Amino acid sequence: KTSFILRFCEDKFEENSLTTIGLDTKKKYIKVDDQKIQLVIWDTAGEERFKSIAKNTYKGAHGIILMYAINRRKTFRAIKEWINNIKEGIDINKIAILIVGNKNDLPPKEREVDEDMVNSLKESEKIEIIESSAKNNVNVNESFIKLVKKMIELGLGQKKESFGEDEDDNGNDKNIKLSDNKNIN
């Protein structure tokens, strides 16, 4: 997940990135449907001992990316638990959620999460699932764009009464807080 965020924010890939301890944040401006949007991305640790930190980020988030590794069934199974944790704290219908299966660059023999498992989760939770590769830069930007479009569709985001770099060409400021809570260690 950290590699996924690094690829998105800095267009870099580090084969052996460090596990997130607690919380890390990054900012990135993107343009979606002619709107300049500032994303504040919260990378929370997926380990059990950091779940309370992740729960606190849900409350102020407008969007969440839940991530699993296609070569680690354990991370896929944890998605249901993450969804249940989100449901405990917020109305899941008032937040944009996207599930991303990362590492689709791996050989098929290493895959532990099959298409039937993905389709079953997609059907039961009614949440879109997309596969990506941070290593090969496949569906990284597209994942964030899909999530932002869903946030816009839900009317999420906040207007600010300020001027400057945060504005688009028309003087409109669109800040959307994006939370990225996943369970890959």
Side-chain angles (χ1 to χ4, degrees):
K1 67 180 182 156
T2 300
S3 295
F4 183 81
I5 293 169
L6 186 63
R7 172 63 81 180
F8 176 67
C9 291
E10 299 177 26
D11 198 22
K12 292 182 192 172
F13 179 78
E14 293 178 9
E15 191 74 42
N16 298 311
S17 63
L18 299 173
T19 301
T20 303
I21 305 294
L23 176 71
D24 187 25
T25 61
K26 292 203 178 292
K27 286 184 182 181
K28 178 162 177 148
Y29 288 91
I30 64 171
K31 198 166 193 171
V32 176
D33 298 333
D34 293 325
Q35 294 182 54
K36 184 178 179 184
I37 297 171
Q38 178 190 27
L39 301 179
V40 180
I41 302 165
W42 298 44
D43 180 4
T44 62
E47 296 174 36
E48 184 68 35
R49 62 190 170 136
F50 295 114
K51 281 201 174 165
S52 63
I53 294 171
K55 278 187 172 185
N56 287 332
T57 63
Y58 301 152
K59 292 177 182 155
H62 298 296
I64 298 174
I65 292 178
L66 297 169
M67 185 172 280
Y68 65 93
I70 68 164
N71 65 327
R72 294 184 55 204
R73 187 173 288 164
K74 174 184 165 188
T75 64
F76 181 78
R77 286 190 192 124
I79 295 292
K80 279 267 201 196
E81 185 180 331
W82 283 103
I83 292 169
N84 289 335
N85 286 340
I86 293 167
K87 288 178 181 178
E88 286 176 15
I90 57 174
D91 181 350
I92 200 160
N93 297 312
K94 294 183 179 177
I95 189 166
I97 299 177
L98 179 69
I99 299 171
V100 177
N102 198 27
K103 301 186 180 183
N104 77 348
D105 54 275
L106 295 174
K109 66 181 180 184
E110 291 186 39
R111 180 182 278 273
E112 290 184 9
V113 178
D114 64 34
E115 189 176 336
D116 289 340
M117 295 167 67
V118 171
N119 288 335
S120 177
L121 179 64
K122 191 185 299 188
E123 188 176 310
S124 69
E125 295 299 332
K126 307 292 187 248
I127 298 173
E128 184 173 1
I129 301 174
I130 187 171
E131 287 194 355
S132 70
S133 167
K135 182 177 185 177
N136 293 338
N137 199 15
V138 173
N139 285 334
V140 175
N141 291 342
E142 293 81 357
S143 296
F144 283 95
I145 289 169
K146 279 182 181 287
L147 188 69
V148 168
K149 284 186 175 188
K150 188 168 184 178
M151 288 188 283
I152 291 168
E153 192 178 293
L154 291 170
L156 302 171
Q158 47 190 323
K159 289 278 188 181
K160 288 176 72 176
E161 299 297 325
S162 65
F163 300 95
E165 190 177 318
D166 292 349
E167 296 177 349
D168 66 17
D169 296 336
N170 298 320
N172 298 315
D173 184 326
K174 185 79 172 182
N175 289 296
I176 296 178
K177 184 175 171 184
L178 179 66
S179 181
D180 138 68
N181 297 296
K182 310 169 212 98
N183 195 29
I184 294 179
N185 300 316

Coordinates of all heavy atoms in Angstrom, one line a residue, residues 29 38 158-168 170-175:
Y29 N -2.4 17.2 -5.7 CA -3.4 17.8 -6.5 C -3.7 17.0 -7.8 O -2.7 16.6 -8.4 CB -3.0 19.3 -6.9 CG -3.0 20.2 -5.7 CD1 -1.9 20.4 -5.0 CD2 -4.2 20.9 -5.4 CE1 -1.9 21.3 -3.9 CE2 -4.2 21.8 -4.3 CZ -3.0 22.0 -3.6 OH -3.0 22.8 -2.5
Q38 N -7.6 18.8 -4.3 CA -6.4 18.5 -3.4 C -6.8 17.2 -2.6 O -7.9 17.2 -1.9 CB -6.2 19.6 -2.4 CG -5.0 19.2 -1.4 CD -4.9 20.2 -0.3 OE1 -5.9 20.9 0.1 NE2 -3.7 20.4 0.2
Q158 N -15.2 19.9 0.6 CA -15.5 21.1 1.4 C -14.9 22.3 0.7 O -13.9 22.3 0.1 CB -14.9 21.0 2.8 CG -13.5 20.5 2.8 CD -13.0 20.1 4.2 OE1 -13.4 20.8 5.1 NE2 -12.2 19.1 4.4
K159 N -15.7 23.3 0.7 CA -15.3 24.6 0.1 C -14.5 25.4 1.2 O -14.9 25.3 2.4 CB -16.5 25.5 -0.3 CG -17.2 24.9 -1.6 CD -16.4 25.4 -2.8 CE -17.2 25.0 -4.0 NZ -16.5 25.5 -5.2
K160 N -13.5 26.1 0.8 CA -12.8 26.9 1.7 C -12.8 28.4 1.3 O -12.9 28.7 0.2 CB -11.3 26.5 1.8 CG -11.1 25.2 2.4 CD -9.6 24.7 2.4 CE -8.8 25.5 3.3 NZ -7.4 25.1 3.3
E161 N -12.8 29.2 2.3 CA -12.9 30.7 2.0 C -11.4 31.2 2.0 O -11.0 32.1 2.8 CB -13.6 31.4 3.2 CG -15.1 30.9 3.3 CD -15.9 31.3 2.1 OE1 -15.7 32.3 1.4 OE2 -16.8 30.4 1.7
S162 N -10.6 30.7 1.0 CA -9.3 31.2 0.9 C -8.9 31.4 -0.5 O -9.6 30.9 -1.4 CB -8.3 30.2 1.6 OG -8.3 29.0 0.9
F163 N -7.8 32.1 -0.8 CA -7.4 32.3 -2.1 C -5.9 31.8 -2.2 O -5.2 31.7 -1.2 CB -7.4 33.8 -2.4 CG -8.7 34.4 -2.3 CD1 -9.1 35.0 -1.2 CD2 -9.6 34.3 -3.4 CE1 -10.4 35.5 -1.1 CE2 -10.9 34.8 -3.3 CZ -11.3 35.5 -2.1
G164 N -5.5 31.4 -3.4 CA -4.2 31.0 -3.6 C -4.0 29.7 -4.4 O -4.9 29.4 -5.2
E165 N -3.0 28.9 -4.0 CA -2.7 27.7 -4.8 C -3.7 26.6 -4.8 O -3.8 25.8 -5.7 CB -1.4 27.1 -4.2 CG -0.8 26.0 -5.1 CD 0.5 25.6 -4.5 OE1 1.4 26.4 -4.1 OE2 0.7 24.3 -4.5
D166 N -4.6 26.6 -3.8 CA -5.6 25.6 -3.7 C -6.8 25.8 -4.6 O -7.7 25.0 -4.6 CB -6.2 25.6 -2.2 CG -5.2 25.0 -1.2 OD1 -4.1 24.5 -1.7 OD2 -5.4 25.1 0.0
E167 N -6.8 26.9 -5.4 CA -7.9 27.2 -6.3 C -7.7 26.7 -7.7 O -6.5 26.6 -8.2 CB -8.1 28.7 -6.3 CG -8.4 29.3 -5.0 CD -8.6 30.8 -5.1 OE1 -8.1 31.4 -6.1 OE2 -9.1 31.4 -4.1
D168 N -8.8 26.4 -8.3 CA -8.7 26.0 -9.8 C -8.7 27.3 -10.6 O -8.6 28.4 -10.0 CB -9.8 25.1 -10.2 CG -11.2 25.8 -10.1 OD1 -11.3 27.0 -10.1 OD2 -12.2 25.0 -10.2
N170 N -10.8 28.9 -12.1 CA -12.0 29.8 -11.9 C -12.1 30.4 -10.5 O -13.1 30.9 -10.1 CB -13.3 29.0 -12.2 CG -13.3 28.5 -13.6 OD1 -12.9 29.2 -14.5 ND2 -13.8 27.3 -13.8
G171 N -11.1 30.1 -9.7 CA -11.1 30.6 -8.3 C -11.9 29.7 -7.3 O -12.1 30.1 -6.2
N172 N -12.2 28.5 -7.8 CA -13.0 27.6 -6.9 C -12.0 26.7 -6.2 O -11.1 26.2 -6.8 CB -13.9 26.7 -7.8 CG -14.9 27.6 -8.5 OD1 -15.5 28.4 -7.9 ND2 -15.2 27.3 -9.8
D173 N -12.2 26.5 -4.9 CA -11.3 25.6 -4.1 C -12.1 24.4 -3.8 O -13.2 24.4 -3.3 CB -11.0 26.4 -2.8 CG -10.0 25.6 -2.0 OD1 -10.1 24.3 -2.0 OD2 -9.2 26.2 -1.3
K174 N -11.5 23.3 -4.1 CA -12.2 22.0 -3.9 C -11.2 21.1 -3.1 O -10.2 20.6 -3.7 CB -12.6 21.3 -5.2 CG -13.3 20.1 -5.1 CD -14.8 20.3 -4.8 CE -15.6 19.1 -4.8 NZ -17.0 19.2 -4.6
N175 N -11.4 20.9 -1.8 CA -10.5 20.1 -1.0 C -11.3 18.9 -0.6 O -12.3 19.0 0.0 CB -10.0 20.8 0.3 CG -9.0 21.9 -0.1 OD1 -8.0 21.6 -0.6 ND2 -9.4 23.2 0.1

